Amino acid sequence: MDLFLQLAATGLVVGSLYALCALGWGLIYGTTLHFHVAHGAIFTLAAYFAYAGQKLLGLPLAVAVIGAIAAAAACGLLIDLFIYQPLERRGAIRTTLFIASLGLLNVVENLVAIVFKPDPLRMDVGWLSNAVQIGPVFLTWLHLVSVATALAGYLGLMAFLKYSLWGRAIRAVSSSPEMARTVGIDLRRVHLLTYAVGSAISAPAGILVAMDVGADPYRGTTFVLLASVAVIMGGIGSIPGALLGALFLAMLENLGVWKIASEWQSTISFGVFLVFIVVRPRGFFGRKIHSAEI
Amino acid sequence: MRTILSVLFTSILAAGANPAFAQGNPIKIGAILPLTGSGASYGVWMKGGAEMAAEEINAGGGIAGRKLEVIYEDHAADASKAVNAMRRLVEVEKVPFSLTSYSAPTLAVQPIAVQNKVVLMNGGGQSDNLANKEYLYNNIPVVSNEVGVIAEWLAKEKKLTTAVMIVANDEAGRNAAKTFQEKYGAAGGKVLADEQVALDGTDFRAQLAKLKARGGSLLYISSYGRNVAIIADQARELGITIPMAGTSWILVPEVMKSKGAEGILTTRLPFDGDSAFAKKFKDKYKTDAGFFAVQYYNATQIFAKAAAEAMKKSGGALSGEGVKNAIESVRTFDTISGKLVFQANHGAVMDIEVGTLKGGKVEVEKIIKASP
């Protein structure tokens, strides 16, 4: 039982990080229909911005983190402004955008590896790395911060989409771009906003992982892959679905270890994903996906 | 353009005219090392050691008047990268000799070495499978010697008779784990469970939680490099309070500095941190020297001696085969860590120390003398 609780708690922590990544990726995919794998680059850049802020510029941790989130949001916006929008203006199909995105991810990861070396860089997190015991479960303060951040990210995003004017514009574009355009919404500006918001929500995931186990140039790829799996599992266009999909995936990975040898961790998650996409392609809450959307 | 060319020519002529290296081209040798990845700390030592040896050899007039040049390649703990590096060394650089490191990369390049008659000297990898290989010499004992010592010490003297193991999922990690299980069993211990982890992984909590639930009086870490620091930290984070143990592999700066690894029980191969070599290394590279720096310094010096011997025999020509024959006939080499005798299995034996990691240093409790 103790093992079950420990694995479930670890699953919740990992799930929170997946969730932050999936919320941002899902928001962008649901609104723009760009299969934005370069979101992994945002994840990686956020981690290195925070590292550079703390270690190279000597900023206090909190300032470095906030700066890194803002910089990551700006990078997301710039990717749309300078890469996707020009391509779309020239009539590029979604596959072209996807290939561009993949190329960008690769270039950014390797540039980061050249500049910062491929080895993980550890940050100083002080007391955040101290262990906390809750009954039979051991976590660190940083893990609790991760869970709280994911919760805040989720609630904040829901409130933003529901109550703010810009949030409602994003929802309008997400449900029907044509209709949104007809009522006078500027699609390009909404896309830019979506990229900024989506990147800002996922940036903390990259930073929190870097604070926990070090910044790594290639981790973004894994996370964006898992985020896309979580979003498709949860249902495209559904924010609660993205959260649930991410938590489900992480729980599966961690609780799977209970009975199955741990080297099968990723086999479990991708195996279940395959079952999902064949048996229930609309995910938990979403609309059905068509091959044309990827 | 013309000026550039003339400058180039002058500099080439000037290099050729260096009186210390009057005869012929430099002797090129390879060094396939973990320069990046989880074992990059070993790479700093290995490369530094080889570099210092080459500088000293060249300052002393080179090998039979020829300059020694070491070409460094990175394998990042990946056997396929090592194979690419080896092919480049053999086909482009035409080396007669290469330093290698790590078990899987060394095993992967050994067939190429045999084909092309290139001598390999491994100063770091310790898998038992590295013994008795043609064209491959190890100036380090295989891991079963060290694992045997620690397994017996843990079971018989420390009375820690039940263990759980975390194992790096590669040749070195698995081989050491298998040996540990045998030797620990023979000494009266029992391994209750083991979990394999990726060498370049960064999150081992699920595996550690599973091992914690199995109980046991000892966590044996059959892994190496930076990986071990993360395992130790995360184990302590998860409330694993039982002692942890490993072999000299774990003694890299990341582990010695880590909070979690304090008190870890380990073997150590003899290394004097206050030696003249260690001081010179620290001055040159601004970081403390380690055991593997001495290993690759020694391996490079051994090559220089063997190559000089081979060239004397052949009247000046240098081939891998000649170097191999010279190593076989000389057998005993003087090194800065004492006399090194290559055994019939192409390996070396050394004293093995056991002790506890405290405040970034190993407090040695016992020294087990080498018995060839």
Side-chain angles (χ1 to χ4, degrees):
Chain A
M1 192 57 197
D2 286 0
L3 176 59
F4 174 82
L5 290 174
Q6 179 68 55
L7 291 174
T10 314
L12 180 66
V13 173
V14 176
S16 300
L17 298 168
Y18 289 176
L20 285 167
C21 214
L23 288 171
W25 191 86
L27 178 71
I28 292 170
Y29 185 50
T31 309
T32 64
L33 287 183
H34 297 161
F35 205 91
H36 175 49
V37 283
H39 201 57
I42 300 292
F43 175 97
T44 301
L45 285 172
Y48 281 88
F49 286 147
Y51 173 85
Q54 187 192 34
K55 292 290 194 151
L56 307 181
L57 305 178
L59 300 172
L61 185 60
V63 179
V65 167
I66 292 167
I69 295 173
C75 288
L77 185 145
L78 293 175
I79 289 174
D80 187 45
L81 187 62
F82 289 113
I83 296 178
Y84 299 148
Q85 292 200 1
L87 283 171
E88 279 188 322
R89 271 200 296 278
R90 273 179 265 151
I93 54 169
R94 282 196 196 119
T95 316
T96 316
L97 291 184
F98 170 68
I99 300 292
S101 190
L102 198 62
L104 183 66
L105 173 64
N106 199 296
V107 168
V108 170
E109 282 185 340
N110 286 299
L111 278 179
V112 168
I114 290 168
V115 175
F116 289 94
K117 307 281 172 268
D119 295 317
L121 297 171
R122 303 197 71 168
M123 298 174 62
D124 294 329
V125 295
W127 58 272
L128 282 173
S129 67
N130 292 347
V132 195
Q133 187 177 2
I134 310 159
V137 171
F138 287 82
L139 294 172
T140 63
W141 286 104
L142 190 67
H143 294 155
L144 300 180
V145 171
S146 304
V147 177
T149 309
L151 191 66
Y154 171 71
L155 294 175
L157 180 62
M158 289 299 271
F160 170 75
L161 290 176
K162 201 157 185 193
Y163 300 115
S164 79
L165 195 61
W166 278 108
R168 286 206 291 255
I170 289 178
R171 274 167 56 212
V173 173
S174 170
S175 71
S176 167
E178 291 77 16
M179 193 67 90
R181 204 197 320 252
T182 319
V183 299
I185 293 174
D186 181 345
L187 285 192
R188 283 190 193 146
R189 288 176 70 186
V190 171
H191 279 194
L192 289 177
L193 176 74
T194 308
Y195 272 93
V197 173
S199 303
I201 286 211
S202 295
I207 299 167
L208 286 163
V209 176
M211 287 164 74
D212 193 17
V213 293
D216 177 315
Y218 302 107
R219 198 180 285 118
T221 305
T222 318
F223 267 77
V224 81
L225 198 62
L226 288 164
S228 61
V229 169
V231 167
I232 294 169
M233 263 186 182
I236 308 277
S238 164
I239 296 299
L243 177 76
L244 196 68
L247 288 174
F248 181 75
L249 203 57
M251 284 293 176
L252 201 67
E253 277 184 359
N254 280 277
L255 291 177
V257 171
W258 196 15
K259 295 290 174 201
I260 303 169
S262 50
E263 62 255 38
W264 297 99
Q265 232 172 7
S266 55
T267 317
I268 301 170
S269 35
F270 287 105
V272 170
F273 172 63
L274 273 180
V275 172
F276 241 84
I277 204 153
V278 172
V279 178
R280 192 178 162 77
R282 68 185 63 228
F284 293 127
F285 305 128
R287 57 181 192 244
K288 192 170 180 192
I289 52 157
H290 302 281
S291 55
E293 291 178 15
I294 302 173
Chain B
M1 194 61 197
R2 182 169 290 180
T3 29
I4 296 176
L5 274 180
S6 68
V7 167
L8 258 175
F9 270 110
T10 339
S11 53
I12 289 166
L13 285 174
N18 188 334
F21 306 110
Q23 308 167 20
N25 307 320
I27 295 175
K28 288 183 182 175
I29 63 169
I32 310 174
L33 307 175
L35 301 176
T36 61
S38 69
S41 304
Y42 301 117
V44 172
W45 285 333
M46 293 169 174
K47 187 176 174 194
E51 231 163 40
M52 278 173 64
E55 275 168 25
E56 283 175 23
I57 290 163
N58 288 334
I63 303 169
R66 286 170 67 184
K67 192 179 172 200
L68 175 65
E69 192 183 324
V70 188
I71 298 153
Y72 299 94
E73 299 278 349
D74 180 21
H75 64 54
D78 179 344
S80 61
K81 284 192 184 142
V83 167
N84 291 341
M86 184 69 186
R87 289 215 182 282
R88 211 185 78 76
L89 288 171
V90 168
E91 285 160 23
V92 182
E93 306 288 355
K94 312 233 183 285
V95 301
F97 174 94
S98 182
L99 301 166
T100 69
S101 53
Y102 276 38
S103 303
T106 300
L107 286 169
V109 302
Q110 186 260 347
I112 307 175
V114 175
Q115 259 169 31
N116 297 280
K117 297 195 168 37
V118 173
V119 177
L120 302 178
M121 188 155 309
N122 156 51
Q126 285 187 284
S127 167
D128 292 328
N129 299 331
L130 292 163
N132 294 313
K133 295 275 184 203
E134 213 189 335
Y135 275 94
L136 167 61
Y137 294 86
N138 306 290
N139 65 330
I140 187 168
V142 286
V143 78
S144 54
N145 301 6
E146 262 188 80
V147 172
V149 165
I150 189 120
E152 195 165 326
W153 186 61
L154 292 167
K156 291 197 172 146
E157 292 181 35
K158 293 281 164 183
K159 309 281 180 221
L160 301 166
T161 51
T162 49
V164 288
M165 270 198 300
I166 193 150
V167 182
N169 193 0
D170 76 342
E171 166 70 25
R174 283 193 303 263
N175 179 263
K178 183 172 144 270
T179 313
F180 181 79
Q181 195 148 9
E182 285 163 17
K183 307 258 174 175
Y184 189 59
K190 189 169 187 314
V191 175
L192 303 176
D194 63 280
E195 283 287 324
Q196 299 209 354
V197 296
L199 187 59
D200 56 359
T202 45
D203 192 347
F204 309 111
R205 294 186 178 99
Q207 290 89 340
L208 287 164
K210 210 172 159 184
L211 291 176
K212 185 188 174 194
R214 288 303 302 267
S217 53
L218 168 76
L219 172 64
Y220 186 76
I221 304 176
S222 188
S223 181
Y224 53 97
R226 182 180 60 220
N227 188 310
V228 177
I230 306 174
I231 291 172
D233 283 342
Q234 293 182 350
R236 294 305 184 221
E237 244 171 46
L238 283 170
I240 295 177
T241 51
I242 54 175
M244 296 189 278
T247 57
S248 62
W249 282 346
I250 67 168
L251 299 175
V252 289
E254 289 97 329
V255 178
M256 303 211 253
K257 276 186 292 193
S258 103
K259 259 192 307 188
E262 182 73 9
I264 203 165
L265 305 163
T266 180
T267 52
R268 193 177 78 155
L269 294 169
F271 169 71
D272 178 6
D274 298 319
S275 63
F277 172 86
K279 289 200 176 92
K280 204 172 155 196
F281 188 98
K282 179 144 197 190
D283 281 346
K284 192 164 157 63
Y285 299 103
K286 311 289 170 237
T287 175
D288 285 322
F291 170 74
F292 290 102
V294 180
Q295 282 296 101
Y296 283 77
Y297 176 89
N298 285 343
T300 310
Q301 292 283 8
I302 290 170
F303 165 74
K305 279 171 203 156
E309 184 70 23
M311 285 158 81
K312 202 159 67 186
K313 252 194 194 138
S314 68
L318 180 66
S319 68
E321 206 171 2
V323 174
K324 175 180 164 264
N325 293 337
I327 292 175
E328 293 284 355
S329 63
V330 177
R331 282 204 105 94
T332 306
F333 292 84
D334 285 317
T335 71
I336 54 168
S337 15
K339 275 203 188 326
L340 183 140
V341 187
F342 282 104
Q343 308 293 301
N345 71 357
H346 292 189
V349 289
M350 284 182 191
D351 294 350
I352 296 169
E353 307 167 338
V354 283
T356 313
L357 186 66
K358 277 191 186 142
K361 284 207 163 66
V362 179
E363 283 185 8
V364 177
E365 279 182 36
K366 197 174 158 186
I367 300 172
I368 289 92
K369 284 282 170 200
S371 52

